[in-house]
Amino acid sequence: MKPYIFITRKLPNDIVDQLSLRYEVSMWGYEDIAVPKERLLQEAAKANALLTMLSEQVSEEVLSAGPNLKVVANMAVGYDNVDVNTAAKKGIAVCNTPDVLTDSTADLTFGLMLAAGRRMVESSEYIKQNKWQSWSPMLLAGQDIHHKTLGIFGMGKIGEAVAQRAKGFNMKVIYHNRTRKTEQEQRLGAKFCSFTELIQSADFVVCLAPLTDETRKAFTYEIFKQMKNTAVFINASRGGLVDEQGLLTALQTGEITAAGLDVFEREPISADHPLLKLPNVVALPHIGSSSRETRMAMMQLCVDNIIAVLSGEKPPALVNQDWKPKN
């Protein structure tokens, strides 16, 4: 029998056909509706490979549902939705899609900085609502991005790409990371600093760290209170790094000026989410890597990861590095 693959979201035929030529493939038939947990468990019980989205919780229950699962190919650079420890114990390869989305996510992160700092969305709504009656000197005045201090929390590859873009705006770049990166400091002109120095000194605080036990709710109201009251907070990583009630309070009380958010604690959010009621919040539906070119590259990497593992080879993007192909 051919190995069985389950794909948790509808993907283009060009991608699916590469798997169908080799394997038996089943796919959840919706682009914008997450696969129900019950269906995921049913499929995991018989699958040799799962191609998952970040919206799926690939828990111990899912990983233990069947005896034949060999690989989980997660279409994201982050993998906090996958129980990697359980997968490692069971000899299941966990794969992700790093590198191919770095530049696209950095572009969007910088776009959030510009939009929130210069009040672009608010200004667009202003004119659409027919409020623009005359030019005035301080109409919807935001703040400059150029020559300001950018503080990056999480200097991975996306953080480095954001720092590279900041050079073109003559920004001073400071960063906090679990490990210091001296080579990147020299190349990017960035300065390593403590978390406290970063939040107190930066004009734009950009959150790009992965979601871990150490980083969960790293940004609370007490942290926002330490920022400049002119600071703009950007989160393009994971919503779980932020205490949303603390952020809401900080924005309402003027502890910080604005926020640009591509991610939220629980996704998707509804239109009545309290953060969406604030004019100084730019909110996006988790589209950091959502360019046509990048999403296709992410899908292709998932396919390459699955084919490699099921062929008994090491995949190109392996999360649990201790995993080894079985003879």
Side-chain angles (χ1 to χ4, degrees):
M1 292 180 62
K2 290 183 178 180
Y4 180 73
I5 318 297
F6 180 64
I7 304 172
T8 65
R9 201 63 63 96
K10 186 177 180 180
L11 300 183
N13 291 337
D14 290 351
I15 294 295
V16 179
D17 289 347
Q18 295 180 54
L19 295 172
S20 298
L21 289 171
R22 296 168 174 259
Y23 315 115
E24 182 183 353
V25 178
S26 179
M27 180 170 60
W28 178 245
Y30 298 93
E31 292 182 0
D32 55 356
I33 301 175
V35 61
K37 179 182 177 182
E38 295 76 16
R39 174 70 184 276
L40 181 58
L41 286 169
Q42 291 171 5
E43 297 292 348
K46 56 184 178 180
N48 299 99
L50 296 174
L51 197 166
T52 58
M53 311 296 129
L54 55 84
S55 54
E56 277 76 65
Q57 292 302 310
V58 187
S59 61
E60 180 180 4
E61 184 181 11
V62 172
L63 295 168
S64 303
N68 301 317
L69 188 60
K70 294 183 179 179
V71 54
V72 175
N74 202 45
M75 192 180 141
V77 65
Y79 44 86
D80 48 280
N81 61 310
V82 182
D83 186 340
V84 178
N85 290 332
T86 295
K89 292 175 185 175
K90 291 182 171 294
I92 300 169
V94 177
C95 304
N96 63 340
T97 59
D99 303 332
V100 295
L101 53 71
T102 297
D103 283 321
S104 295
T105 305
D107 285 349
L108 185 115
T109 302
F110 217 89
L112 275 174
M113 288 173 53
L114 289 163
R118 292 297 305 271
R119 302 173 68 180
M120 290 183 180
V121 174
E122 189 180 354
S123 297
S124 177
E125 290 302 311
Y126 185 85
I127 196 170
K128 288 179 180 179
Q129 294 169 11
N130 200 32
K131 293 181 179 179
W132 190 24
Q133 302 301 313
S134 176
W135 184 91
S136 60
M138 296 301 290
L139 176 63
L140 291 160
Q143 56 183 295
D144 287 329
I145 287 80
H146 63 84
H147 294 91
K148 294 294 183 69
T149 297
L150 169 62
I152 300 175
F153 178 67
M155 188 64 111
K157 291 185 178 179
I158 297 172
E160 292 173 22
V162 171
Q164 180 67 45
R165 284 152 177 75
K167 291 175 65 177
F169 282 73
N170 293 306
M171 299 184 83
K172 175 184 177 182
V173 179
I174 59 177
Y175 77 97
H176 181 74
N177 200 58
R178 184 171 56 183
T179 56
R180 185 170 180 175
K181 297 189 169 183
T182 53
E183 179 184 339
Q184 286 79 354
E185 289 176 23
Q186 294 176 359
R187 178 168 58 86
L188 299 169
K191 175 191 171 187
F192 179 79
C193 65
S194 68
F195 182 57
T196 299
E197 182 181 350
L198 183 142
I199 61 174
Q200 292 179 349
S201 302
D203 299 297
F204 293 84
V205 177
V206 175
C207 180
L208 290 169
L211 179 60
T212 65
D213 290 340
E214 291 74 26
T215 62
R216 189 177 300 276
K217 293 195 184 300
F219 290 90
T220 63
Y221 178 65
E222 293 304 316
I223 296 299
F224 290 119
K225 280 179 63 178
Q226 297 179 55
M227 294 182 187
K228 297 178 179 181
N229 58 16
T230 55
V232 175
F233 176 72
I234 306 295
N235 189 5
S237 177
R238 288 291 186 268
L241 281 87
V242 179
D243 175 1
E244 286 186 355
Q245 183 57 52
L247 174 59
L248 178 68
T249 303
L251 288 163
Q252 290 173 326
T253 58
E255 300 290 351
I256 63 175
T257 289
L261 308 172
D262 187 41
V263 290
F264 297 85
E265 281 189 89
R266 292 182 180 85
E267 298 176 356
I269 63 171
S270 62
D272 60 357
H273 192 289
L275 282 168
L276 301 188
K277 306 296 183 183
L278 302 181
N280 53 344
V281 171
V282 177
L284 302 177
H286 204 146
I287 58 168
S289 62
S290 190
S291 70
R292 294 182 182 89
E293 299 89 341
T294 294
R295 287 288 168 87
M296 291 300 293
M298 292 168 70
M299 296 174 199
Q300 184 62 55
L301 186 50
C302 285
V303 168
D304 295 343
N305 284 329
I306 288 172
I307 292 174
V309 172
L310 296 185
S311 300
E313 301 172 359
K314 185 176 180 180
L318 182 64
V319 172
N320 45 347
Q321 290 292 325
D322 292 339
W323 177 88
K324 291 180 178 152
K326 295 179 181 177
N327 296 327

